Amino acid sequence: MSIKDRTNEFQSAVDVLRNRQAVKGLDRQPLIPASPAFNQSGNRHAQKTEFARIAALIGREINMTTSKLEKLTKLAKKKSLFDDKPVEISELTYIIKQDIAKINKQIAALQEYTHNSQSKSLSKQATEHSSNVVLSLQSKLANTSLGFKDVLEIRTQNMKAGKERRDQFMFANSETTSSVGSMNLANSPLYTPDRKPTPSSLYDPSSSPANSLNSQSSDVLGLGIPMITPEQQQAQLLVAHQDNYIESRASAIESIETTIAELGNIFQQLATMVAEQRETVQRIDQNADDIEMNVSGAQKELLKYYKNISSNRWLLIKIFATIIFFFLLFTLI
Amino acid sequence: MDVVKAVQGYVLKMVDDLRGMKVLLLDVDTTSIVSLVATQSQLLAKECYLIDRIDNKNRDRMRHLKCVCFLRPTAQSIQWLVEELRNPCYGDYYLHFSNTLKKSTIERLAEVDEHEVVREVQEYFGDYMAINSDLFSLNLHPPQYQLYSESLATWNANTLERTVQGLSAALLSLKKKPVIRYERNSALCQKLAAELRYHIQQEGQLYDFRRADTPPILLILDRRNDPVTPLLTQWIYQAMVHELIGIHNGRVDMSNVPDIQSELKEIVLSADQDPFFKKCMYLNLGDLGANIKAYVDKYQNKTKSNMHIESIADMKRFVEEYPEFRKLSGNVSKHVAVVGELSRKVTQYHLLEVSELEQSLANSEHHGDDLKHLQQLIATPAVPEETKLRLVMLYALRYEKSPNNATRSLKDLLAKNGVSDRRSSVIDAVIRYAGEKQRQDDLFSNQSFLSRGRSALKGLKGVENVYTQHTPHLAETIEQLLKNRLRDTSFPFIDGGEVTREKPQDVIIFMVGGTTFEEAKYIAQLNATTPGTRFVLGGTCVHNSTSFLTDVVNADNLIRGIV
């Protein structure tokens, strides 16, 4: 006895119908008071649509701003030094800033508008709705501006980082240029060994005599002194530069050294690992050999058993035949 | 596998689930369904104080009562129900439908339930008439339900729908999801099988029962393969009452019987409530006579013991036993009246001779003897015309292909004995309806050498009773099914269904075009003698010879109308 209960289906059908009727009732309500009310409701409709239109407009603008912001973020997150587009970024930033300001103003206007219409005795739900809409728009805007701020921060950080890096490069550049200069100076045998020490060794001890000479014959050598002093200054500067450069080289070499040492360590570890692996592989090889041996042994045993059985089978058949024979003998007679 | 218990279970559950006083509201179809399985007193015991029809407009308003509705979901009764729900007479409504409801119907009911009086909507699959525990019928009689629409190969759409509903309800109430087999040559069977298969697939979740070890088998057969069984005179009690008086929904109309008491004008024969009928329904008239005698003797003893009232104890006993005694006396007089009427008709219509010839025609091949006998009977004026026609029909069916077929001369003889041409045209109609060409199997076992030999062997064995030697064609089919020898070519499985090779445990046989009580008796015997396999027989209706011939003539008019 099978029974199917369809009460639930029936009840759900009733519910559906009830809902449908309820909806219909709502629709009918504003229609019951006739034409005079109709105008008002139409007016209200217009208000509502005005409000909705502005809100939609603001929403769309916020969306557009957000998309712009995304573009900006993409640009700002680029870390390459060369593909930097500062002009575009600054332009976008400017635009977004303006947009946000504009949207803010618009929202303020909308709020005012809703306040005004509130005084016009809209229904409680409608005012709540409009204030909710304004609030949500504001929060959206706030989110957007927060994002904008974040992007700007990222941008400044990136800029800072880029600058640092560039500074490094620039420093190195200046160093290299100076070193090239100094190298030139240093390498040219004409200049360095002779020229650099010579002024110091030649001129220093003879400076006083020279001075004395100068003082003595100031007319002749008075022209020479101003010529010597800038040169000396330059040389001193050059020496300082060279020191700096050598120090940095040394530190670089040191770091390379430590890296190489670390690498060596790693290679050693790798070697021990490989050695371990070899052991395991050897063991696997051995095991495979064992297995092969076992399998062949088992096969041999099976063959033996098979021979055993086949000889038994003949016996069984013989016994069975005799049984059948006797059975037939007894049943048929 | 007891259809009466199944439907009874539904009805009692319906009224039992609800506490307190209630009304049972039925429609045209469910009234007969319920009346076959439940008595008024049974329903009263469940506090069901009022039983009424939903189409009765003059019902009183009783808002304090709960209402149990049991309806067939037909357009008509849904309409009545809609009107009832619009203007409810009772407090709460518990709707029960005898078949699956459409979604749209539920919505429609939900729509009109403005007073919110509907508490429950349920589907109880009791959508068929349970006659015996293993026999159900759909009671599809013309003119409301024509079987055929254009030719003998097409269903009437309305009847097909009702049949699919009824059969699927039977399957659901028995909790069976069967594999379906059908007779290959019958387009009707195939169509029904396909529709049912589709229905089972559509309502897959309803048929999601615990799987049996071997799937039950639904065997769909066609009446046209066995036109003989409904034409024979019956000697089994139940079949005989149906043949000679007529059983409609378990009721027997005795008003045409001469000298009948007024209280016996209409009687109820139900195996469920009448132990004597249950015992005797499958006995032949002779055994029945003996049983009736014993029954009457028992009654006599009771009467005698009731005569002696000497002490207070006797009086007490008498008062206690009196209702029982009344019941017994009512039952005895009922059965005596029925049997008396039966035996009166037997002698009046010379049924013993007629039946002897019928059995000979149905079972064995003795052309010369049969013909002589038949001519003799046709000349006898006491034999009614219908019986003569039936005999000639049996003759025509049996010797249809025989070289010395004398149907034509027999028809002339009939005409001479005052049977009009219009009436004797039914003979040709039967041949057209279920002649040799229309049948699938060798019904008379006279078509091949092997089957002739087999029937000759059967003849050697001798027969117990001359009047009941015929076994319906169904028996052969079932035997083959039990031995697993039913050929797939003549009884194919429906496409897309599963195929089983095991010995079936549950077999549901459905006879398109109506079954007979003789077959029901065979199935009952089979149920008693084959342990491990259960059978249920169903049909679009239950035939006696009259209703069968009406069907045949109807079908024939239809075909010829088209031709």
Side-chain angles (χ1 to χ4, degrees):
Chain A
M1 242 180 37
S2 51
I3 293 165
K4 194 175 174 196
D5 193 345
R6 297 184 71 170
T7 315
N8 289 337
E9 239 170 288
F10 179 80
Q11 274 163 356
S12 67
V14 167
D15 285 346
V16 165
L17 279 169
R18 195 176 290 156
N19 286 343
R20 210 181 286 161
Q21 271 167 358
V23 168
K24 264 186 204 160
L26 263 187
D27 273 355
R28 265 180 225 138
Q29 252 175 359
L31 285 176
I32 295 164
S35 44
F38 184 73
N39 250 340
Q40 205 181 345
S41 74
N43 205 6
R44 203 179 291 168
H45 246 278
Q47 281 177 357
K48 231 181 223 173
T49 45
E50 179 72 21
F51 173 77
R53 204 176 53 77
I54 296 171
L57 208 74
I58 294 170
R60 217 173 297 143
E61 266 176 44
I62 289 176
N63 264 352
M64 268 158 66
T65 316
T66 323
S67 65
K68 273 178 206 160
L69 195 64
E70 262 169 41
K71 219 188 277 174
L72 180 65
T73 326
K74 227 180 258 171
L75 280 178
K77 279 193 181 157
K78 267 186 190 158
K79 276 187 182 161
S80 98
L81 275 174
F82 308 106
D83 198 16
D84 212 14
K85 291 169 183 161
V87 186
E88 275 179 41
I89 290 176
S90 62
E91 224 167 77
L92 261 178
T93 322
Y94 181 71
I95 290 172
I96 291 171
K97 212 187 278 173
Q98 284 229 330
D99 273 354
I100 289 176
K102 203 171 79 186
I103 292 166
N104 209 3
K105 224 178 272 171
Q106 272 173 339
I107 289 178
L110 191 66
Q111 214 162 8
E112 207 161 308
Y113 178 80
T114 48
H115 272 298
N116 283 346
S117 52
Q118 245 174 19
S119 59
K120 272 189 228 162
S121 75
L122 261 172
S123 76
K124 196 184 155 201
Q125 282 191 341
T127 47
E128 209 169 295
H129 165 73
S130 51
S131 67
N132 274 345
V133 167
V134 170
L135 264 181
S136 78
L137 282 176
Q138 270 173 340
S139 68
K140 237 186 207 172
L141 183 67
N143 274 343
T144 320
S145 44
L146 261 179
F148 183 52
K149 199 192 84 188
D150 283 348
V151 170
L152 283 186
E153 262 170 24
I154 288 170
R155 171 71 188 150
T156 44
Q157 268 178 5
N158 270 0
M159 290 241 287
K160 225 183 256 170
K163 203 171 143 200
E164 240 167 59
R165 238 181 324 161
R166 197 173 296 140
D167 277 357
Q168 264 181 5
F169 274 105
M170 295 291 268
F171 181 50
N173 259 348
S174 61
E175 259 189 347
T176 36
T177 43
S178 65
S179 70
V180 165
S182 63
M183 284 280 252
N184 277 342
L185 287 182
N187 285 358
S188 67
L190 274 174
Y191 209 81
T192 340
D194 301 328
R195 197 67 181 277
K196 251 194 234 165
T198 38
S200 54
S201 58
L202 271 177
Y203 289 108
D204 271 1
S206 64
S207 61
S208 47
N211 274 347
S212 58
L213 246 170
N214 277 347
S215 57
Q216 279 166 8
S217 51
S218 57
D219 268 5
V220 187
L221 288 173
L223 282 165
I225 291 164
M227 280 175 75
I228 289 164
T229 34
E231 244 177 59
Q232 233 171 359
Q233 271 173 345
Q234 217 172 5
Q236 269 170 351
L237 260 173
L238 267 173
V239 169
H241 268 286
Q242 234 163 357
D243 272 2
N244 238 343
Y245 168 68
I246 285 164
E247 251 171 46
S248 74
R249 292 303 285 197
S251 71
I253 286 166
E254 258 170 29
S255 75
I256 289 169
E257 205 179 69
T258 50
T259 328
I260 287 173
E262 269 171 33
L263 264 175
N265 258 344
I266 290 167
F267 270 108
Q268 235 162 8
Q269 275 171 10
L270 214 85
T272 50
M273 268 192 223
V274 167
E276 275 170 24
Q277 292 276 351
R278 190 184 59 183
E279 222 168 282
T280 348
V281 166
Q282 266 174 348
R283 217 179 295 155
I284 289 170
D285 199 32
Q286 222 169 8
N287 283 353
D289 278 348
D290 282 357
I291 288 164
E292 199 198 336
M293 218 158 64
N294 286 346
V295 165
S296 61
Q299 199 202 13
K300 239 178 258 168
E301 289 299 314
L302 279 177
L303 274 175
K304 226 188 276 172
Y305 183 62
Y306 174 71
K307 265 180 211 157
N308 229 355
I309 277 187
S310 52
S311 59
N312 273 353
R313 197 157 47 182
W314 265 114
L315 186 69
L316 267 179
I317 289 169
K318 275 179 214 157
I319 291 169
F320 192 66
T322 26
I323 288 172
I324 288 282
F325 174 71
F326 275 104
F327 176 73
L328 289 177
L329 208 71
F330 283 122
T331 48
L332 291 182
I333 296 168
Chain B
M1 289 286 278
D2 185 336
V3 282
V4 174
K5 285 270 146 50
V7 181
Q8 212 166 35
Y10 280 138
V11 173
L12 292 184
K13 187 170 165 46
M14 222 178 288
V15 288
D16 213 15
D17 277 353
L18 192 56
R19 302 250 160 263
M21 294 199 289
K22 62 211 150 219
V23 182
L24 183 62
L25 216 52
L26 302 170
D27 69 2
V28 189
D29 300 288
T30 49
T31 309
S32 41
I33 292 172
V34 171
S35 67
L36 266 172
V37 295
T39 59
Q40 190 111 20
S41 41
Q42 261 175 328
L43 294 177
L44 267 176
K46 306 282 184 198
E47 293 179 278
C48 185
Y49 293 121
L50 180 66
I51 299 166
D52 213 331
R53 290 272 287 266
I54 196 160
D55 47 345
N56 177 8
K57 289 220 155 185
N58 309 317
R59 275 178 281 120
D60 299 326
R61 288 173 72 86
M62 285 176 277
R63 296 306 297 262
H64 58 288
L65 286 181
K66 293 169 190 165
C67 173
V68 177
C69 290
F70 184 47
L71 309 169
R72 269 208 81 214
T74 55
Q76 184 63 53
S77 42
I78 293 292
Q79 185 56 42
W80 284 116
L81 183 61
V82 162
E83 275 163 36
E84 173 74 29
L85 289 181
R86 281 227 175 90
N87 191 10
C89 289
Y90 311 107
D92 292 339
Y93 282 78
Y94 294 80
L95 305 180
H96 301 83
F97 291 93
S98 69
N99 222 317
T100 43
L101 274 179
K102 282 200 211 74
K103 183 96 191 158
S104 57
T105 315
I106 291 189
E107 277 166 13
R108 185 160 169 227
L109 290 177
E111 212 167 324
V112 295
D113 183 22
E114 280 160 2
H115 300 266
E116 306 200 350
V117 286
V118 176
R119 293 281 166 275
E120 268 175 26
V121 180
Q122 310 241 25
E123 286 169 359
Y124 281 36
F125 300 98
D127 200 9
Y128 53 91
M129 325 279 161
I131 298 171
N132 296 343
S133 62
D134 43 19
L135 174 67
F136 68 93
S137 145
L138 302 180
N139 254 12
L140 305 179
H141 285 294
Q144 201 199 342
Y145 288 107
Q146 291 281 0
L147 198 53
Y148 308 101
S149 71
E150 281 168 2
S151 67
L152 291 181
T154 43
W155 277 91
N156 179 316
N158 193 17
T159 315
L160 176 63
E161 195 193 338
R162 174 71 185 96
T163 312
V164 171
Q165 282 174 357
L167 196 49
S168 57
L171 291 176
L172 283 171
S173 61
L174 294 173
K175 284 198 166 184
K176 299 287 175 237
K177 185 185 179 185
V179 291
I180 304 171
R181 301 184 77 165
Y182 59 96
E183 263 176 328
R184 187 185 46 78
N185 78 329
S186 166
L188 262 68
C189 292
Q190 184 174 5
K191 176 81 180 147
L192 176 60
E195 283 290 321
L196 203 62
R197 167 96 212 140
Y198 177 72
H199 178 86
I200 291 176
Q201 273 169 353
Q202 285 299 100
E203 306 280 342
Q205 45 164 351
L206 269 178
Y207 286 90
D208 193 16
F209 307 125
R210 199 167 55 84
R211 284 189 81 80
D213 302 340
T214 54
I217 286 187
L218 172 66
L219 192 60
I220 302 179
L221 305 176
D222 197 331
R223 177 81 271 161
R224 283 164 66 205
N225 276 323
D226 179 14
V228 171
T229 313
L231 287 176
L232 295 175
T233 305
Q234 300 298 324
W235 295 99
I236 313 300
Y237 189 24
Q238 191 182 23
M240 209 169 168
V241 172
H242 189 49
E243 174 74 36
L244 295 177
I245 309 171
I247 304 177
H248 298 291
N249 293 338
R251 288 198 305 273
V252 182
D253 182 12
M254 299 274 281
S255 50
N256 295 327
V257 177
D259 314 327
I260 192 80
Q261 295 166 17
S262 60
E263 59 181 30
L264 289 177
K265 280 254 159 63
E266 191 173 51
I267 58 170
V268 174
L269 287 181
S270 157
D272 198 42
Q273 278 117 36
D274 184 345
F276 179 76
F277 184 65
K278 188 172 188 176
K279 197 170 120 198
C280 298
M281 60 199 269
Y282 297 128
L283 291 181
N284 63 42
L285 193 62
D287 297 339
L288 179 65
N291 266 304
I292 283 261
K293 187 163 182 308
Y295 202 40
V296 172
D297 282 347
K298 189 172 144 200
Y299 174 62
Q300 254 175 344
N301 278 338
K302 278 263 168 86
T303 349
K304 257 182 216 153
S305 68
N306 282 342
M307 294 265 191
H308 303 283
I309 299 177
E310 285 164 351
S311 63
I312 297 292
D314 276 348
M315 283 160 89
K316 196 178 160 201
R317 188 173 48 80
F318 173 74
V319 170
E320 269 169 9
E321 283 182 2
Y322 192 68
E324 186 73 12
F325 175 70
R326 280 293 301 167
K327 201 177 151 197
L328 183 68
S329 95
N331 215 4
V332 167
S333 57
K334 177 174 91 181
H335 284 289
V336 168
V338 172
V339 174
E341 170 64 11
L342 290 182
S343 60
R344 187 183 70 82
K345 285 206 165 158
V346 166
T347 43
Q348 190 190 344
Y349 299 153
H350 298 270
L351 282 183
L352 286 170
E353 292 157 58
V354 169
S355 179
E356 202 182 329
L357 176 60
E358 277 173 359
Q359 296 292 338
S360 153
L361 280 169
N363 287 317
S364 52
E365 192 118 352
H366 304 293
H367 183 252
D369 287 355
D370 287 347
L371 189 59
K372 217 164 72 189
H373 211 134
L374 185 53
Q375 281 162 342
Q376 219 176 326
L377 272 175
I378 291 176
T380 314
V383 178
E385 276 180 20
E386 290 85 14
T387 320
K388 289 176 185 171
L389 282 171
R390 266 195 299 143
L391 285 170
V392 179
M393 271 183 260
L394 281 172
Y395 174 85
L397 285 169
R398 155 65 80 172
Y399 299 112
E400 189 187 352
K401 286 280 169 322
S402 162
N404 35 9
N405 182 341
T407 314
R408 187 173 293 276
S409 70
L410 281 173
K411 264 194 244 171
D412 292 344
L413 193 64
L414 276 175
K416 250 183 243 167
N417 280 283
V419 180
S420 66
D421 273 353
R422 204 175 57 77
R423 297 204 64 177
S424 56
S425 68
V426 74
I427 298 164
D428 298 323
V430 162
I431 297 291
R432 273 195 293 272
Y433 179 73
E436 174 98 47
K437 267 187 251 160
Q438 316 287 346
R439 296 198 298 265
Q440 175 170 311
D441 296 320
D442 187 2
L443 177 59
F444 295 108
S445 18
N446 58 358
Q447 274 162 18
S448 70
F449 181 74
L450 204 70
S451 52
R452 267 171 211 242
R454 210 178 290 145
S455 61
L457 257 173
K458 234 185 249 170
L460 278 180
K461 267 194 222 156
V463 281
E464 265 176 42
N465 188 335
V466 184
Y467 304 112
T468 56
Q469 51 180 311
H470 174 257
T471 50
H473 178 60
L474 176 72
E476 213 173 295
T477 315
I478 298 292
E479 233 163 70
Q480 282 176 355
L481 179 71
L482 281 181
K483 288 179 187 158
N484 244 336
R485 284 221 296 259
L486 206 56
R487 281 196 302 277
D488 283 1
T489 45
S490 42
F491 291 90
F493 292 92
I494 186 69
D495 307 328
E498 34 196 337
V499 172
T500 175
R501 288 269 162 266
E502 296 152 80
K503 189 183 169 199
Q505 280 184 327
D506 298 309
V507 182
I508 299 158
I509 304 135
F510 189 78
M511 194 73 99
V512 176
T515 181
T516 61
F517 279 116
E518 190 184 341
E519 282 152 344
K521 180 227 166 195
Y522 173 75
I523 292 295
Q525 256 177 4
L526 215 57
N527 270 330
T529 52
T530 45
T533 312
R534 291 174 298 177
F535 297 90
V536 168
L537 177 68
T540 45
C541 57
V542 178
H543 274 312
N544 56 15
S545 58
T546 323
S547 65
F548 177 63
L549 289 181
T550 320
D551 263 18
V552 168
V553 170
N554 258 324
D556 196 55
N557 287 342
L558 245 163
I559 314 168
R560 281 197 302 178
I562 297 303
V563 173

